[in-house]
Amino acid sequence: MDFSWLFPPAINDMAKQVDSLFWFIASIAVFIFVLVEMLLFIFLVRYRRKRPDKQGIALHGNTKMEIIWTLIPALILVAIGVFGSQMTYAIQTPPKDVYTINVTGYKWRWDFDYPEGFKTTNKLVIPEDKSVLFKITSGDIVHSFWIPSMRLKQDAVPGRQTQFWTGPSEKGEYPIVCAEYCGTMHSMMLAKLNVVSTEEFDKFVQSGGKAGGSAADGAGGEGQTLAEQKGCLSCHATDQNKLVGPGWGGMFGKDVKLSDGSTVKYDEKYIIESIIDPAAKTPEGYSPMPPQQVTEEEAKAIAEYIKTLK
Amino acid sequence: MGTVATADVKKPSFVRDWLLTVDHKKIGIMYGVVCLLFFFLGGAAALVIRTELLTPGMPDVVPQADMFNQMFTMHGSIMIFLFMIPMLTAAFGNYLVPIMIGAHDMAFPRMNNLAFWLFVLGGFVFLSSLYFGMPDIGWTAYPPYSIESAGLGLDIWVLGVHILGLSSILGAINIIVTVFNLRAPGMTFNRLPLYVWSSLITAFIQLFGTPALAGAITTLLFDRHFGTHFYDASAGGDPMLYQHLFWFYSHPAVYIMVLPAMGIVSEIIPVFARKPIFGYHAIAYSSIAIGFLGFLVWAHHMFVAGMPLATGIPFMVTSMIIAVPSAIKIFNWLATLWRGSNWFTTPMLFVTVGFIGMFTIGGLGGIFLGTVPVDIHMHDTYFVVAHFHYVLFGGSMMAVLGGLFYWLPKMTGRMYSEKLGKTVFWMYFVGTNLTFFPMHYIGMMGMPRRVFQYDPANGMQIANQIASFGSYLVGAAAIMMVVTIIVSLRSGAKAPANPWGAQTLEWTVSSPPPEHNFIEMPYVTAPPYEFGEAEEQYTPKKSFGA
């Protein structure tokens, strides 16, 4: 039976195995659930009180029955435990020949360091035919790196390295989620996983991580991609909503009141300056943005993008 | 003559009669009232959360993201520390334990009063964080985030938890000493009512567990203000140490919130089934097993927290084993209903259709989470939220309400309206299932806990909306409950000493009971659930002939 509507698509073998363990447990659980609820319902209705002074039967217990209903659940749970343990070891042990990507969580973005020496943010591209090992840590607080389609999750803990690995997986675009509560913008700490063909992956590596993303079209397209990848959109809305930082929509060309009381024009120069040196001119009502790893050129592209936002 | 003398005694003032009382029954009732007030506060926070989640996008009900985070922090903290634990252990425990074992009061009545006021103080300090800036760290307060969390909110929160912990330890000591030393003649351990058994085990869990929590949050405070580095990885500390300490208390705390509930269920079922409880010893001793095993499962909250996965296996095993004593109780209750004479009063509905029906769902959900590979996917998602709400809201809360209606005539001397009571039950039952069942699905599809934003694809928004509407129904049920109690207080029929025909000692005295419970020291000659007719008299033919 196809139960894919209950789970995100399973894109690798491990996910399929976890699903089958899930269904194994689920079938037992449903059986026990139906049994308990049926007995409850039957006993309540069949033995409901018919006369006010009616007594039940004076039955204090039955040791044989009690031993049976202690042992049966115990045995079922042992069986689940055995399957569970076997799979746990499989998930823990990566194969020898494996492609390693370092994952680092920050408030509120994911950085991916590739062995070829380049880095992407919020964009994880992996080839469809290779085993990949993720070595996960955190740059600030505890996050949790979760790829629902792989049924895999590990916390990103500062000072520790956790890991999980995946075998070959199916092509497509899938969400990556932060599952450990990490403060204000926890809900928006999202990244994209792109599983691509080997050729596409080679191109991605050769371009130093620039190709292979879902580049937006039109004016400010490059800036939009950057804003997504650098994690800007975790804190800035593209409309006028106030998140951690001010919303970008309709800001361009307006005057901004700063925390020191002065005003400044919200133009390209101000945007670039604010990205490179966030503490210099903070808008009123906000605290300075943490330092960002964005070059002046990239900042320019982002400013182009902000210009297009209404 | 005594009657002449009492006529001259002035009625004591409200302060002396209630606030300064050392009567365990009055302290129990005060606990209950304050706990219910907190329940409404925690529930209000829950409704804000559910309203926010009606739509998938940006925070639109609460003004900012931070406020959403503060809401679920307050919801969790209030419900656990200010409602469920004190309600089950202190409100019910205080009222019932002494009178059920034939004692005149708690072993340390003044300490009892002190514990109550510490609880009120702790709750007050907790709520003062509304003024000082609410903490936004979740009820678990994991470092390093909790260390850098700005403002006084978290410090106030920690102070509140400390005071509440102290109150909780004092209460636990009181119950342990009372049960060991003040039982009436003939009240052997094998004749203890099952609620007293579960209270005793719970008190031991509180006594041994709470210090671990105190240690965890104290070191947190030190890291924040005194320059220590317990949880600072860059200086050799380890954030995971906190998680170990925290869950070493907080998993057993789940049983603090479940065992007394199971005790209440075990009290109510035999009375309304008019049968002895099936397997008294199994039910009593399985509580001991749960109390003991409860301390050996904490790391199942941390399967993906950074331990090597294989470290999780022993904890998977213990987590599986701890399901067995719970299963034993469920089957024993079912066997008690078999060939009973089941009387559908409101308390009976709450503990059978309510507790047994829904706790089963919660318990089975726990098997998925106890299995490491499945938990890797489910951990920190709404599946977990569904699971523990089925245990704590579908389970414990049902027992609380069942117990409330069961003992209300005893406490107030007034009967409640069965019609209203049953309405409350069905509203709760339907609302709770609507709210929490869809959350299983929401979690499996990929929605983490503690988020205000989710992917509207895959029917996620519909599922979230069903949950939200269910929560409104629960909110209405809570108001209905208060209405039912008020109606009962104002116009309920006078309650006889033993309206249900129960056999535990609290029903042998008037409703409400006199001060010091018993005019004459009771002498116990039989176990508490000697109901039923022998097999040969049971057949309908013979009873009709009689």
Side-chain angles (χ1 to χ4, degrees), chain A:
Chain A
M1 256 211 279
D2 177 32
F3 286 102
S4 54
W5 48 272
L6 258 183
F7 278 112
I11 59 169
N12 58 5
D13 276 351
M14 212 123 66
K16 284 168 191 152
Q17 282 174 36
V18 172
D19 284 4
S20 50
L21 180 61
F22 173 87
W23 289 113
F24 173 69
I25 301 173
S27 49
I28 294 170
V30 168
F31 175 77
I32 298 174
F33 170 73
V34 171
L35 182 78
V36 169
E37 305 287 331
M38 237 173 54
L39 291 179
L40 179 66
F41 184 74
I42 291 173
F43 292 168
L44 281 178
V45 174
R46 166 82 180 70
Y47 301 108
R48 68 187 180 280
R49 192 173 301 183
K50 282 154 196 144
R51 287 181 296 117
D53 58 339
K54 183 94 171 60
Q55 294 275 303
I57 177 177
L59 177 70
H60 283 269
N62 182 327
T63 312
K64 212 195 273 171
M65 289 289 287
E66 291 191 59
I67 289 173
I68 291 174
W69 71 51
T70 307
L71 280 182
I72 291 180
L75 288 175
I76 293 173
L77 291 166
V78 166
I80 295 173
V82 169
F83 286 124
S85 304
Q86 283 171 344
M87 206 174 290
T88 305
Y89 282 113
I91 292 172
Q92 185 177 254
T93 322
K96 282 226 165 57
D97 176 31
V98 73
Y99 185 78
T100 306
I101 298 173
N102 287 307
V103 179
T104 314
Y106 293 95
K107 284 188 289 186
W108 291 278
R109 65 172 204 272
W110 293 107
D111 275 4
F112 304 104
D113 284 289
Y114 283 78
E116 287 81 6
F118 62 88
K119 182 164 89 179
T120 61
T121 299
N122 283 347
K123 181 179 83 167
L124 172 62
V125 181
I126 63 168
E128 58 171 335
D129 59 347
K130 258 196 229 171
S131 295
V132 183
L133 176 68
F134 299 98
K135 292 196 166 174
I136 305 153
T137 189
S138 163
D140 41 38
I141 59 171
V142 181
H143 303 277
S144 190
F145 184 62
W146 181 26
I147 307 179
S149 295
M150 291 184 174
R151 316 282 185 268
L152 288 173
K153 175 189 296 140
Q154 275 295 318
D155 283 6
V157 187
R160 267 178 192 261
Q161 194 178 63
T162 55
Q163 62 175 47
F164 64 66
W165 69 280
T166 168
S169 37
E170 280 163 33
K171 271 199 285 192
E173 222 181 72
Y174 311 97
I176 295 171
V177 183
C178 175
E180 183 67 75
Y181 174 68
C182 57
T184 311
M185 283 292 121
H186 164 59
S187 309
M188 301 176 82
M189 187 167 163
L190 304 166
K192 272 255 144 52
L193 164 68
N194 263 347
V195 183
V196 297
S197 67
T198 317
E199 300 86 63
E200 256 182 277
F201 186 71
D202 288 341
K203 254 189 256 164
F204 166 78
V205 170
Q206 274 156 23
S207 73
K210 296 214 164 46
S214 47
D217 300 322
E222 195 197 341
Q224 183 177 357
T225 315
L226 278 167
E228 283 167 8
Q229 291 177 2
K230 297 289 179 185
C232 309
L233 299 185
S234 302
C235 302
H236 296 278
T238 54
D239 51 21
Q240 286 162 19
N241 268 319
K242 186 180 158 178
L243 299 182
V244 178
W248 287 348
M251 282 294 278
F252 202 84
K254 284 196 183 138
D255 284 339
V256 185
K257 203 155 186 217
L258 298 183
S259 46
D260 61 5
S262 60
T263 45
V264 65
K265 207 172 163 74
Y266 194 92
D267 56 9
E268 198 170 51
K269 192 169 142 253
Y270 172 68
I271 295 173
I272 295 171
E273 185 189 355
S274 297
I275 297 175
I276 306 295
D277 182 12
K281 292 174 185 164
T282 316
E284 195 179 26
Y286 296 94
S287 42
M289 183 165 79
Q292 302 295 314
Q293 292 173 309
V294 180
T295 64
E296 200 164 336
E297 218 155 275
E298 287 168 334
K300 213 169 167 183
I302 293 171
E304 282 301 313
Y305 171 55
I306 294 176
K307 211 187 262 183
T308 67
L309 294 170
K310 292 275 172 320

Side-chain angles (χ1 to χ4, degrees), chain B residues 72 127 156 226 244 310 370:
Chain B
F72 68 68
L127 292 187
I156 300 283
F226 305 128
H244 281 293

Side-chain angles (χ1 to χ4, degrees), chain B residues 110-180:
Chain B
R110 283 169 202 281
M111 189 168 94
N112 205 13
N113 183 283
L114 173 68
F116 170 72
W117 286 108
L118 279 174
F119 164 68
V120 174
L121 176 69
F124 185 75
V125 169
F126 228 86
L127 292 187
S128 69
S129 67
L130 291 170
Y131 176 76
F132 291 108
M134 273 193 279
D136 67 337
I137 28 81
W139 85 279
T140 54
Y142 278 5
Y145 181 65
S146 54
I147 289 170
E148 49 184 71
S149 168
L152 267 179
L154 181 85
D155 306 311
I156 300 283
W157 184 89
V158 167
L159 185 63
V161 174
H162 269 138
I163 298 172
L164 294 169
L166 178 59
S167 157
S168 166
I169 289 177
L170 293 182
I173 292 171
N174 221 340
I175 286 195
I176 292 171
V177 178
T178 305
V179 174
F180 273 96

Side-chain angles (χ1 to χ4, degrees), chain B residues 282-501:
Chain B
I283 292 185
Y285 302 159
S286 61
S287 298
I288 302 178
I290 289 176
F292 179 70
L293 288 167
F295 283 100
L296 300 177
V297 300
W298 79 90
H300 72 209
H301 295 268
M302 302 166 60
F303 283 157
V304 299
M307 309 187 298
L309 278 180
T311 318
I313 288 177
F315 290 97
M316 172 162 73
V317 174
T318 48
S319 304
M320 296 281 163
I321 294 173
I322 204 169
V324 176
S326 298
I328 291 175
K329 284 183 204 269
I330 298 263
F331 289 125
N332 276 308
W333 291 326
L334 286 176
T336 309
L337 295 172
W338 178 71
R339 292 187 72 179
S341 175
N342 303 322
W343 182 12
F344 292 107
T345 57
T346 305
M348 183 69 158
L349 280 177
F350 269 113
V351 299
T352 54
V353 182
F355 187 97
I356 299 181
M358 291 163 78
F359 182 81
T360 305
I361 300 177
L364 291 169
I367 298 178
F368 295 92
L369 299 173
T371 312
V372 178
V374 180
D375 181 66
I376 292 175
H377 181 64
M378 306 290 200
H379 184 77
D380 266 332
T381 68
Y382 256 80
F383 190 92
V384 180
V385 179
H387 158 69
F388 68 71
H389 279 95
Y390 261 99
V391 171
L392 293 179
F393 206 80
S396 303
M397 185 65 195
M398 287 286 167
V400 165
L401 291 168
L404 209 59
F405 283 111
Y406 180 64
W407 281 292
L408 197 64
K410 177 54 62 185
M411 290 188 237
T412 64
R414 300 272 183 182
M415 299 302 288
Y416 62 89
S417 146
E418 280 292 346
K419 212 183 203 172
L420 288 177
K422 281 177 181 152
T423 316
V424 174
F425 168 75
W426 287 112
M427 283 166 79
Y428 255 114
F429 182 77
V430 174
T432 306
N433 279 298
L434 276 181
T435 310
F436 299 114
F437 202 79
M439 289 185 184
H440 290 110
Y441 166 77
I442 292 170
M444 283 151 74
M445 280 313 282
M447 178 168 162
R449 302 165 73 165
R450 298 163 171 167
V451 292
F452 52 76
Q453 178 178 287
Y454 54 90
D455 185 357
N458 314 314
M460 200 91 105
Q461 186 173 4
I462 298 166
N464 268 298
Q465 281 169 343
I466 295 173
S468 297
F469 288 124
S471 72
Y472 301 147
L473 188 54
V474 174
I479 293 168
M480 194 68 194
M481 170 191 74
V482 175
V483 171
T484 309
I485 293 176
I486 291 174
V487 169
S488 148
L489 284 175
R490 301 190 66 175
S491 57
K494 270 224 164 315
N498 191 358
W500 316 123

